[in-house]
Amino acid sequence: MESRDSNKNSDPQRAPSGVWGRILVTAALPYANGPLHIGHMAGVYVPADIYVRYKRAKKTDIKFVCGSDEHGVPITIRALKEGVSPQQIVDKYHAIIKESFEQMGISFDIYSRTSNKIHHETAAAFFKKMYDDDLFEEKETEQFYDEKAKTFLADRYITGTCPVCGNENAYGDQCERCGSSLSPEQLINPRSTLSDAVPVKKKTKHWYFPLQNYESWLKDWILEGHKEWKNNVYGQCKSWLDNGLQSRAMTRDSSWGVKVPLPDAEGKVLYVWFDAPIGYISATKELTDDWKDYWCKEDTRLIHFIGKDNIVFHCIIFPAMLKAHGGYVLPDNVPANEFLNIEGDKVSTSRNWAVWVNEYVKDFPGCEDVLRYVLAANMPETKDNDFTWKDFQDRNNSELVAIFGNFVNRTFVLMHKLCGGKVPKLHEDILDETDKALILEIENARLRVENAIEEFHFRDALFEVIDLARKGNKYLQDKEPWKKVASTQSAVTNDQQLIDNCLHLCLQLTANLTILINPFLPVTAKKMLHMMKVVDKMLDWGNAGKIKLLSIGYSLRPPELLFRKIEDEEIKAQVEKLKANANKALSPKPKAASDNEEKSQIKNLKSQIQFDDFAKLDLRVGTILSAEKVAKADKLLKLEIDLGFEKRTIVSGIALHFKPEDLVGKQVVIVANLAPRKLKGIESNGMILSAEDENGKLHLVNPEQIINPGAGVS
Ligand SMILES: [Zn+2]
């Protein structure tokens, strides 16, 4: 049971008994159009996981839900660019994201996805109830329409020339070259990215949620009722509310998303920010039949962990939706974090300025806890913070290795050497001031860590744990049990007793460190349990602060290495990789061949042909739908290619140059009228064009941007 602040006002959403019955923690749904980077982890998932693991250790009834957000315009655009379906995009990234979470030990009770049927049903029913209660405004407006593709166009689907810098590929909402924010009307020569048609204006009807009707309730609920929210969160809410709220469209013209559950809504889906937060409800439904306990019982404490870019959606729009719908609890806290920058620069996925979680776990196997540590110690709790690889190395080497790991290792080595590998006795009659001070530190550390986590001050909480280990090192240094061995032989009778007391306390401190570090570094805690030969049950938070966790005479295992030193070369390699990736993203086109290379390739020209010979070739653009290796043929790939009017199987000798999975969605130019031939028993219907570079590597020949498959090449 959770105690609550006594000074809170009598909001009807609060439990009348004054005690929380259970907690529901949600973590922002990651958007399934790219992998996770460490900014996501530091901002949302590491703090949420620390909180949940701590509460589980306290035996609180708690559920932790999350899932992939799989709707919205950027996913349809990405699908279009890669020449695949939106479902293929979300399937790909959902799998990558889910695996990264598992590898980083983010312990969701469920990781769902918004393309699931249960979510579509839940979100549609939520909308329908609000519609039936007459809570929406129907409005007809004019929006851009593509007459060729027969669809309305979100601003992102329109490209044209930027009126500011002349970039020919500016979007209808923004020019990515000069950063100007634009509207489609401002573009010179606007075109639809779907069909290249000139967009026209057409009337369309949408359902708007009149947020202004909830303004005074929101002001009361947040500005008066939740003064304990973090300053950055409270401040952003206040600024939105002070500026006045307006109706916001809750539907969009699109074929990808949750269909609007009304008869006259063909081609319309729910706005992604209407459906995504309902994903928390759907995921809880999927998790447990008791989902209503977590969403509808007023003694449930709902906490949303998010990044600062999602504050308005979680603190204003979603609570207003829940309030309007009725029957649901409201968030009690939304501990949003600021952003984590990388090496002094903002994370940018388009510039590839990021540290990707799936790459980190490959580059630093077995070091998942190190990343959790550095991200927690550097968490952007009150302002944007910076991640640098140097700081990563320093924190690992001088905190995890030199303080925490060192204390545990010394304790175990000395215990094996001086106490026969068993937990020595505690001789209470000869405890001195230093011993008593350490016992007090152990007792107090629990409260300090606990208070900090309850307040969502995860950096402070982690600092307290490391500080306790630091005090352990100081204690060992002061006691110098290794010096007492020699004098034992010189017959000072109670030296062994002094050694016993010192190592007994150090071992009890180690047991306490295990409990306290567990929410932050779960893999490390497991290793420590193994060394102490104790079961998970010892991790119960109620054990923290006690000094009788390990029984006297119990034999313990030899020490294991908890953390390894990270070398300068590893750090240098990461910094270089970061910069190289960013450079690649800036100049995607390969360097032009030098004069000499060009000439050497011109030398061996084939004999001249007439135009009619060339005209016999039917060259077409195709999109690769699938690619797989051909059995018993190292060089061959079997490709399925979409030509728009038909699908083709082509066997191509490019297997040594491309991974099959990298080819899916790529466009190629093929010779479409080449007579079929059989390769390894498979009939190949055409040939793929590729170019060979000076190193003998093959590169696909394709249009400079994705176009309709089947287009002729001449
Ligand atoms: Zn521009």
Side-chain angles (χ1 to χ4, degrees):
M1 292 277 164
E2 293 296 301
S3 64
R4 51 177 48 255
D5 291 352
S6 53
N7 61 353
K8 291 194 175 160
N9 65 12
S10 57
D11 188 303
Q13 294 292 335
R14 291 176 181 283
S17 61
V19 175
W20 297 115
R22 66 202 70 71
I23 301 178
L24 178 65
V25 168
T26 73
L29 306 186
Y31 201 52
N33 76 335
L36 290 173
H37 57 68
I38 62 169
H40 296 125
M41 299 306 293
V44 181
Y45 307 103
V46 170
D49 192 61
I50 293 168
Y51 186 78
V52 170
R53 285 178 183 271
Y54 155 77
K55 288 288 182 185
R56 284 188 192 129
K58 285 196 88 179
K59 302 289 159 205
T60 306
D61 179 355
I62 188 166
K63 294 276 185 269
F64 185 18
V65 303
C66 191
S68 298
D69 176 4
E70 305 191 325
H71 298 138
V73 174
I75 281 167
T76 51
I77 296 212
R78 180 135 199 173
L80 201 69
K81 275 188 185 159
E82 297 188 13
V84 298
S85 70
Q87 190 65 49
Q88 281 170 294
I89 294 288
V90 300
D91 286 350
K92 175 178 166 187
Y93 289 110
H94 172 76
I96 293 174
I97 292 169
K98 189 164 188 276
E99 190 184 21
S100 291
F101 280 138
E102 285 163 5
Q103 287 166 326
M104 288 299 294
I106 305 300
S107 57
F108 300 125
D109 290 304
I110 183 168
Y111 188 74
S112 186
R113 50 195 307 196
T114 61
S115 62
N116 279 352
K117 186 162 170 271
I118 193 168
H119 174 69
H120 278 242
E121 289 168 357
T122 306
F126 197 108
F127 181 91
K128 186 65 169 38
K129 161 89 164 62
M130 286 177 69
Y131 175 84
D132 290 342
D133 291 347
D134 206 16
L135 298 173
F136 293 119
E137 297 166 346
E138 271 180 40
K139 280 193 212 176
E140 204 173 56
T141 56
E142 286 205 314
Q143 283 185 14
F144 283 101
Y145 185 79
D146 179 332
E147 289 181 310
K148 223 164 161 186
K150 301 211 179 338
T151 180
F152 283 94
L153 297 165
D155 294 352
R156 272 266 142 170
Y157 282 96
I158 301 171
T159 62
T161 304
C162 172
V164 181
C165 74
N167 169 17
E168 289 181 8
N169 294 309
Y171 290 108
D173 57 350
Q174 197 193 18
C175 170
E176 291 199 336
R177 191 205 274 171
C178 70
S180 305
S181 65
L182 303 169
S183 68
E185 285 90 346
Q186 293 174 284
L187 293 175
I188 302 159
N189 298 324
R191 303 176 307 278
S192 161
T193 55
L194 299 178
S195 69
D196 225 28
V198 177
V200 295
K201 283 216 162 172
K202 196 176 163 177
K203 282 190 173 156
T204 180
K205 184 172 75 176
H206 283 288
W207 289 270
Y208 287 69
F209 184 34
L211 284 165
Q212 63 278 15
N213 295 355
Y214 302 85
E215 197 175 299
S216 69
W217 169 74
L218 283 164
K219 277 185 175 160
D220 193 50
W221 176 63
I222 299 173
L223 304 183
E224 297 305 319
H226 281 295
K227 291 186 174 171
E228 82 284 9
W229 284 5
K230 289 172 68 170
N231 288 340
N232 57 333
V233 178
Y234 187 91
Q236 215 187 95
C237 291
K238 185 168 186 323
S239 136
W240 275 85
L241 291 166
D242 287 349
N243 286 327
L245 301 177
Q246 288 164 3
S247 294
R248 214 171 156 123
M250 290 293 140
T251 55
R252 293 285 188 272
D253 291 295
S254 173
S255 55
W256 180 245
V258 177
K259 298 212 174 333
V260 173
L262 299 174
D264 54 343
E266 195 57 38
K268 294 181 198 295
V269 297
L270 301 183
Y271 171 44
V272 69
W273 271 113
F274 186 89
D275 99 66
I278 297 173
Y280 301 138
I281 303 175
S282 325
T284 317
K285 270 190 184 177
E286 203 181 328
L287 171 67
T288 168
D289 290 340
D290 297 331
W291 70 272
K292 280 190 175 161
D293 289 359
Y294 294 88
W295 278 100
C296 308
K297 284 198 177 167
E298 58 181 4
D299 62 340
T300 295
R301 187 177 189 207
L302 174 60
I303 303 174
H304 296 310
F305 280 86
I306 57 167
K308 69 171 165 188
D309 48 339
N310 289 345
I311 289 174
V312 64
F313 302 107
H314 286 79
C315 297
I316 292 183
I317 300 178
F318 187 47
M321 284 164 58
L322 292 168
K323 177 82 178 166
H325 183 285
Y328 288 111
V329 295
L330 298 171
D332 182 63
N333 211 322
V334 186
N337 276 332
E338 301 286 294
F339 288 156
L340 186 72
N341 298 328
I342 309 284
E343 303 281 351
D345 214 345
K346 277 199 165 20
V347 171
S348 160
T349 51
S350 61
R351 282 192 303 121
N352 204 1
W353 188 259
V355 176
W356 303 102
V357 176
N358 53 337
E359 293 187 7
Y360 173 87
V361 297
K362 270 187 221 142
D363 294 349
F364 292 94
C367 296
E368 292 77 12
D369 271 1
V370 177
L371 184 59
R372 285 177 68 110
Y373 178 80
V374 174
L375 296 179
N378 232 343
M379 201 174 277
E381 286 178 347
T382 53
K383 59 174 181 54
D384 287 0
N385 246 350
D386 202 27
F387 173 92
T388 67
W389 281 108
K390 185 80 187 71
D391 178 66
F392 169 84
Q393 181 191 26
D394 287 348
R395 286 194 183 272
N396 179 77
N397 293 356
S398 63
E399 293 172 16
L400 288 178
V401 174
I403 298 173
F404 194 99
N406 184 39
F407 171 73
V408 174
N409 188 59
R410 283 167 88 193
T411 296
F412 267 70
V413 167
L414 288 168
M415 177 268 300
H416 276 278
K417 198 171 154 196
L418 306 178
C419 307
K422 291 181 176 162
V423 180
K425 276 192 190 143
L426 183 69
H427 309 277
E428 299 205 30
D429 49 322
I430 55 162
L431 288 176
D432 65 13
E433 288 312 308
T434 317
D435 299 326
K436 286 175 188 162
L438 186 74
I439 293 170
L440 200 63
E441 289 292 354
I442 295 173
E443 286 168 3
N444 289 342
R446 171 202 164 145
L447 274 180
R448 285 200 286 259
V449 174
E450 192 168 314
N451 288 341
I453 296 182
E454 292 285 355
E455 297 288 321
F456 309 111
H457 295 162
F458 301 105
R459 298 168 61 164
D460 293 350
L462 184 54
F463 175 83
E464 292 294 343
V465 184
I466 298 302
D467 200 45
L468 184 61
R470 189 181 283 121
K471 284 167 183 157
N473 277 322
K474 170 93 171 41
Y475 172 80
L476 262 180
Q477 209 55 47
D478 291 345
K479 289 278 172 179
E480 298 182 311
W482 52 89
K483 281 198 177 165
K484 296 202 165 59
V485 193
S487 56
T488 308
Q489 283 146 5
S490 67
V492 180
T493 47
N494 69 354
D495 264 12
Q496 185 61 41
Q497 293 183 341
L498 292 175
I499 291 170
D500 286 353
N501 275 4
C502 170
L503 287 168
H504 180 95
L505 290 179
C506 285
L507 284 169
Q508 302 296 356
L509 174 51
T510 303
N512 271 274
L513 286 172
T514 312
I515 301 168
L516 299 179
I517 204 69
N518 177 48
F520 302 89
L521 311 181
V523 175
T524 305
K526 274 258 183 277
K527 280 188 196 167
M528 292 167 74
L529 286 182
H530 182 257
M531 285 161 60
M532 294 184 292
K533 288 208 294 194
V534 289
V535 291
D536 286 5
K537 182 114 192 38
M538 200 202 75
L539 295 175
D540 289 0
W541 197 259
N543 287 329
K546 293 182 182 165
I547 56 151
K548 291 195 170 140
L549 297 176
L550 297 173
S551 315
I552 290 162
Y554 194 59
S555 67
L556 308 181
R557 290 199 172 92
E560 285 176 44
L561 189 69
L562 294 180
F563 308 103
R564 70 167 177 89
K565 199 167 167 239
I566 289 176
E567 304 295 340
D568 291 347
E569 302 83 71
E570 296 176 84
I571 293 309
K572 207 174 140 223
Q574 288 300 325
V575 173
E576 278 167 9
K577 176 177 172 179
L578 181 71
K579 289 182 177 160
N581 284 345
N583 286 338
K584 233 187 283 165
L586 280 177
S587 53
K589 289 185 191 79
K591 268 194 304 175
S594 71
D595 283 351
N596 281 342
E597 281 162 2
E598 262 176 43
K599 277 172 203 150
S600 71
Q601 280 162 13
I602 290 167
K603 260 190 255 165
N604 302 318
L605 275 183
K606 294 176 185 169
S607 58
Q608 212 170 54
I609 59 165
Q610 297 305 312
F611 179 78
D612 282 350
D613 293 323
F614 167 72
K616 285 179 189 165
L617 286 173
D618 195 343
L619 300 177
R620 301 285 184 135
V621 171
T623 303
I624 299 177
L625 298 173
S626 70
E628 58 181 87
K629 291 201 161 150
V630 174
K632 294 175 193 158
D634 290 345
K635 292 184 182 171
L636 296 183
L637 284 182
K638 180 185 164 199
L639 306 164
E640 291 296 327
I641 303 212
D642 181 11
L643 284 182
F645 50 90
E646 66 174 41
K647 294 191 174 65
R648 290 273 182 105
T649 301
I650 294 181
V651 179
S652 179
I654 57 175
L656 298 179
H657 301 270
F658 302 96
K659 286 190 199 150
E661 61 269 28
D662 291 345
L663 287 172
V664 175
K666 288 252 165 69
Q667 289 202 316
V668 284
V669 173
I670 72 165
V671 184
N673 61 339
L674 193 67
R677 41 180 196 151
K678 276 202 168 179
L679 293 162
K680 291 276 165 190
I682 305 165
E683 189 179 270
S684 179
N685 293 283
M687 193 179 98
I688 289 176
L689 299 190
S690 60
E692 187 178 344
D693 68 16
E694 66 280 13
N695 301 318
K697 177 161 173 42
L698 296 183
H699 301 267
L700 297 176
V701 174
N702 51 24
E704 62 179 357
Q705 64 181 60
I706 297 281
I707 63 173
N708 285 335
V713 179
S714 56

